[in-house]
Structure formats: C-alpha cells, structure tokens
Amino acid sequence: MTIRIDRRSLILTGTLGLSAYAIPGFAQVPMADGFTHNVASGEPGPDSVLLWTRYAGKGDSAKLKVEVSESADFARVVAGGEAITGPWRDWTAKIVVTGLKPGTRYHYRFVAPDGGFSPTGRTRTLPQGDAARFGIAIFSCSNLGFGYFNAYAHAAARDDIDLAVHLGDYIYEYPHGNYPSLEQTVANRLPLPATEIIHLADYRLRYASYRADPDLQALHAAKPMLIQWDDHESANDSWEGGAQNHSPDKEGDWNLRRAAAMQAWREWMPVSDEPWKAYEIGTLATLFRTETRLLGRTKPYNSAPLFKEADPVAALKAFRDGAWQDPAMTMMGWEQEAWIAAELARSVKAGTRWQVAGFGTIMGRQVAPKQAMEWLKPDAPESAQRYVKAGVTLASVGLPTNFDNWGGYPAARARFLKAAQAADANLVVIAGDSHNAWAYELAQDGSPAGVEFAGQAVTSPGYESSTAADPRVIARALVETNRELKWCDTSRRGYMALTLTPDQLRNDWLFVDTVKQRTPAARIGHSATVRRSRNVMA
C-alpha cells in the first residue's frame, strides 16, 4: 500500500492536506474533506458503545451526528448523538451512545453537516447476566511494512467473534529502512512520514497511513474493539521516563514526545480516556484492559554493562540476587496494581466465571536453551548473535533473556499472581509483544496461579527471521528448558481466538498462509483448553 500525503500541509494546518491515499488495487480514500477513514467502535458495555470516525471539514469545525439501528436499512433509529470536531483533534470524532440492549448487534453510521453518510459499521454490546458463549479475537504487533494484515481480514469475516482486542504495537515508530529494512519491506507498503515519528503531526500521519489499510478498516467496521498501547505506539521499550529508541540529544524532550504519542492514539483509536478499565462480559468473564508502558512502568534493567565486568558471571549472580528482585520495580504502577488486585477479588466475589487480564508483554518465565546459538543462520547479524549469546549466559545463572517483559519485574509479577491466588481467580492472561505464539501455565510459590496465552504477531517477524533450525526443534527445546511453557510456535503470523463458556475456555492460535500477499486465509495451528477452577491447561 503506497500512501501519498502532503506532509507540509499536515504540519501547517493540522489536517491531512489535499492529497489522497493511493492504494494500488483498492479504491482511493479522498483526503480533501469528508469521511476519510471509515468507522470504528470500541469500549462496549451492556447498554453503551463508543463510536468513531474521521470527517475532514471544509471550515474550521464540523458537527456530526450518529445513528444506531438494529437493521441495516436504518428503518428505525434507536440511539444516536452529536459531536463537534476540527483540526484541534485531527478531525476525528468519538460519540458514546447509550440506552442500548445487552448482547445485541447494531448497525451505525455518521451523518455529515451536508446530510451525507459515512460507511456503515457493525458493533455489539456486551451480554448481561448468564451467557452461554463469547468469542474474542486477539491481535498484536502489526508492522505495515512487513506485510499484509490478512489476520485482520480473516477475523473480520467471522460471525463467531463478538469482540476484538488489540494488545499493542498497532503502529511502529521507525523511519523507512529501519524496521523493516527496505529489502524486507513488502512492495508499496511504506507508511508516512518517511522519517521516525516524534512530533504530534508525525504520529497523526502514521496513524492515518495505517488506518488507510482496507483490512484494518474492515475489522474496525465489523467488530467493537478494546485497544491498549504497548511500546511502539510511542517508542521501542518505552517506560515512564524514556525509551530505548529515544535520545534527548536526537529526539528531544521525552515528555513532549510521550504526550504527542498519547494524544494521537486517543484521537485515532475508538477508546475512552480511562488508562485502564474492567469490562463485564455478563457472568462469563471480567476482561481487564491494562496500561504497562507510559504511566507507571519503572525503567527496565539493561544487563549489557554486567557483561563488561571482569567476572561477568559473578556480576550476573549478584544482580540476580539483588537488584533484579527489587520490590520497587513495577510494570503497572502502584495505583493500577492496587486497582487490579481489588477488581480480581470483586469479580470472583460476584460469581464471574473467568478473570481475563490483557498485558502488552509476556508474563511466563522463559530462559534461553543452551543450544540456542546453534539455531542461528550463518549470516545472522552480529546484533542477533550477541543477543542470543547473552541470553544463554543469562540462563546459566537463572535469569531471563528479556528484561523488558515481566521477566524484568519478578517482584511485580509475584504481587499480581499472589493477588489472583488470594482472590481464588480463574485467571487467564493474554499477551502480545514477542511476535511468537506461546502457552504457559503460570505458577507462584509452587502453586498454579493461572494460564497465559501469548499471541503471534499480525505481521512482525519472529524467530524465523534470524534462525535456520527447524521451528519444531526450536519449540521442543524451549518447552523442555522452561517449566511454565507448555507449547510454542516461533515461525508463523496470525492472531488468537479465545472462546469463553461457563465451565471451559478454548484458545486457538490461527496462522495465516502468508503476509507477503493479500490473501485472508488462515487455519488453526494449535488449541489449548482450560477447565474452570483448574488454572492449568487440560
């Protein structure tokens, strides 16, 4: 998908200028005025839902209306609302409609000041009371340059998916040629701007590029979505006070960049301003949307300096027994930690069958197998070789490879799992970030605490980008080395589908045939089931 936008007009006016998105093989989306990016819905409740669109007006503002109906012909409008938008919010509009019926599918459309209509979207409210079944599609890591969003297209066409959840890395912040490299970039899928995104205009333009994708538009128009950010919505490995991919000398004040990233995200996503929230899926489940990047996360540890010590192994052991276990380290921040602990207990006390927590990064314990260096391609970049070699050394002293996920915050992980155990929760953690597929049985103090289903990327590459070994060999070694890990796949892209029923849930990992061509075909590659009150996989 080649996208051509007048960036100078964007910066000067705060709009997307007079250019058009030129999408080879698809209809052009006009950018001069009107509805530019289809529609979307999110934040569903039993009687309400948030509706989103973007309408570029010809003046300094525009008033939009929204209509909601149970029928596609809008013969009877049952709910609606109005909103004023303008360049101060990049012409995006969000309206929360209320007074809806639980567990009901609705059609909706926006009405422009001139009476014209937006495309029609479909959404669904959450059930209330007892529900026999609920289906959730789960996504993460959608780098436009690496390929087509076939996972979105496949899920959008399914009738058994009631809700979509995106666990982060909805966009990527890198300049052209960085990630992916120009050689890796699928033809004509270069988002704008071409440079690294730093300022508000940059983030807005990057979202506009991604949201021009027809398969992403189709998913948003077909399903309500719950969305949380991870790091690439701001910068790689971000935390409260900075990021790996941010240097004050190069990119300026982190607080300004973080504020720009958060503003553009809230403008372009069908989300409320609440940083975290619990959603009741009738008596079936409480679904927790969390924030683990920009508001409370402590700076992650960097083990690289320890390898420069005279005795690296001794330095790593001292770190393992000391700083790594610091109880002051937090992923969620103390306010959110207290909130989710109380909400877990409240959900269980209310008789809700499952407690499902969405996190941006993986919680399951994982160390590198001894033979990991043997998996690398002969021409693997030096950075990959250093990373894997360091991981093997870290594993030799009982340390995880990745300190940016929950592996770098063991005390915070223990607090969360203990809270789940104390509440007697039927805990299911869903996670993204790693680009690969994982199934863990989470334990705390030797007892089961819950299960974790971590999803493969929509497009971003996994282990296969640097390894030559058979993926089955890699998976077997990873499972044998890591007690909590029960299954994994490190070579395929797609999404997860979680099916909730009162006494059992099933998670399917669906793998697309390819991301190099636009072909929305996918099939189940693995399934895992959990019976209520077990906190282990069947």
Side-chain angles (χ1 to χ4, degrees):
M1 177 176 59
T2 300
I3 300 169
R4 296 193 291 268
I5 301 174
D6 181 353
R7 186 175 186 276
R8 182 174 179 273
S9 295
L10 170 71
I11 294 171
L12 290 176
T13 68
T15 73
L16 289 177
L18 300 177
S19 301
Y21 286 119
I23 307 174
F26 308 106
Q28 290 191 351
V29 182
M31 296 304 296
D33 55 64
F35 294 104
T36 65
H37 284 80
N38 212 302
V39 295
S41 67
E43 305 287 330
D47 61 356
S48 65
V49 68
L50 184 153
L51 304 177
W52 178 99
T53 194
R54 184 178 186 276
Y55 180 87
K58 296 179 179 179
D60 58 2
S61 65
K63 180 187 285 188
L64 303 178
K65 297 180 181 180
V66 70
E67 298 177 342
V68 180
S69 176
E70 291 187 45
S71 62
D73 62 3
F74 289 85
R76 178 173 175 265
V77 174
V78 298
E82 299 182 47
I84 297 172
T85 187
W88 61 87
R89 56 177 303 113
D90 207 12
W91 295 98
T92 62
K94 293 188 282 191
I95 299 175
V96 175
V97 294
T98 58
L100 306 178
K101 296 188 295 188
T104 302
R105 294 186 186 276
Y106 288 97
H107 300 265
Y108 65 95
R109 63 188 181 188
F110 286 83
V111 185
D114 62 4
F117 294 112
S118 72
T120 297
R122 291 168 292 147
T123 191
R124 182 170 184 148
T125 53
L126 297 182
Q128 193 170 52
D130 294 338
R133 181 199 173 280
F134 194 84
I136 305 174
I138 303 166
F139 307 92
S140 64
C141 306
S142 314
N143 191 312
L144 190 147
F146 276 114
Y148 289 91
F149 293 157
N150 293 324
Y152 291 155
H154 187 270
R158 292 179 59 167
D159 291 331
D160 60 343
I161 296 298
D162 302 299
L163 175 70
V165 170
H166 206 294
L167 295 171
D169 297 344
Y170 184 103
I171 64 166
Y172 282 71
E173 82 277 17
Y174 297 112
H176 291 178
N178 183 304
Y179 184 74
S181 67
L182 292 178
E183 293 75 18
Q184 294 173 312
T185 302
V186 171
N188 300 320
R189 286 184 69 83
L190 286 171
L192 291 183
T195 58
E196 179 184 9
I197 55 175
I198 299 171
H199 308 290
L200 178 58
D202 302 331
Y203 283 100
R204 284 173 166 174
L205 184 53
R206 187 62 56 92
Y207 278 107
S209 294
Y210 272 68
R211 291 294 297 274
D213 182 272
D215 296 317
L216 178 52
Q217 287 191 5
L219 178 63
H220 273 301
K223 314 290 181 186
M225 186 180 287
L226 296 181
I227 312 173
Q228 58 194 64
W229 59 54
D230 192 38
D231 54 342
H232 291 292
E233 286 86 348
S234 53
N236 184 54
D237 289 358
S238 53
W239 58 284
E240 181 182 15
Q244 177 275 329
N245 189 26
H246 183 89
S247 168
D249 293 338
K250 179 183 176 183
E251 285 99 354
D253 187 333
W254 167 250
N255 287 325
L256 293 178
R257 184 180 188 181
R258 181 178 68 160
M262 292 168 63
Q263 178 176 335
W265 185 83
R266 287 184 171 130
E267 290 171 345
W268 279 86
M269 297 293 100
V271 296
S272 66
D273 290 340
E274 298 165 278
W276 52 80
K277 191 174 180 180
Y279 304 84
E280 301 301 331
I281 305 173
T283 60
L284 266 183
T286 303
L287 176 57
F288 300 97
R289 173 172 61 82
T290 66
E291 195 290 316
T292 57
R293 276 293 174 190
L294 300 178
L295 302 181
R297 177 194 273 250
T298 313
K299 183 178 182 180
Y301 290 117
N302 178 11
S303 64
L306 301 176
F307 286 89
K308 298 178 182 179
E309 297 286 340
D311 187 343
V313 172
L316 289 169
K317 288 181 178 178
F319 167 71
R320 176 199 64 196
D321 298 336
W324 180 56
Q325 301 184 48
D326 187 350
M329 295 284 288
T330 174
M331 282 277 277
M332 294 188 282
W334 292 102
E335 180 184 355
Q336 189 179 183
E337 278 197 25
W339 167 80
I340 201 167
E343 284 293 303
L344 285 168
R346 180 203 56 76
S347 175
V348 174
K349 187 175 181 180
T352 306
R353 311 293 283 182
W354 303 94
Q355 288 71 44
V356 183
F359 292 118
T361 58
I362 290 174
M363 183 170 286
R365 298 188 190 277
Q366 188 167 316
V367 300
K370 294 179 181 179
Q371 63 269 47
M373 287 295 294
E374 302 171 9
W375 302 341
L376 290 173
K377 294 177 180 178
D379 60 347
E382 185 179 348
S383 58
Q385 296 182 43
R386 287 197 308 268
Y387 181 81
V388 175
K389 185 177 181 180
V392 173
T393 303
L394 289 163
S396 70
V397 299
L399 286 170
T401 303
N402 190 350
F403 293 103
D404 182 63
N405 67 18
W406 286 89
Y409 302 78
R413 175 193 136 119
R415 289 193 295 269
F416 172 74
L417 293 180
K418 286 180 179 179
Q421 289 175 326
D424 198 23
N426 288 279
L427 177 66
V428 180
V429 170
I430 53 176
D433 180 66
S434 77
H435 305 178
N436 302 292
W438 316 90
Y440 297 92
E441 291 181 348
L442 304 172
Q444 180 60 40
D445 298 329
S447 298
V451 299
E452 178 176 30
F453 303 135
Q456 68 276 28
V458 171
T459 59
S460 302
Y463 280 32
E464 79 281 0
S465 62
S466 297
T467 56
D470 187 328
R472 292 170 296 182
V473 171
I474 294 174
R476 184 165 54 249
L478 286 164
V479 171
E480 290 173 350
T481 304
N482 294 279
R483 182 179 301 177
E484 291 188 339
L485 181 61
K486 303 304 175 183
W487 171 86
C488 67
D489 180 280
T490 63
S491 64
R492 294 178 286 179
R493 314 278 69 82
Y495 70 103
M496 298 191 298
L498 181 66
T499 303
L500 297 158
T501 61
D503 296 315
Q504 180 175 288
L505 61 79
R506 185 186 78 247
N507 191 69
D508 298 327
W509 285 264
L510 289 104
F511 299 109
V512 297
D513 291 349
T514 181
V515 297
K516 302 304 180 184
Q517 298 176 346
R518 188 172 183 243
T519 171
R523 55 187 53 85
I524 297 173
H526 185 74
S527 298
T529 59
V530 181
R531 295 191 182 97
R532 190 170 178 272
S533 303
R534 294 287 304 278
N535 278 332
V536 295
M537 283 171 267

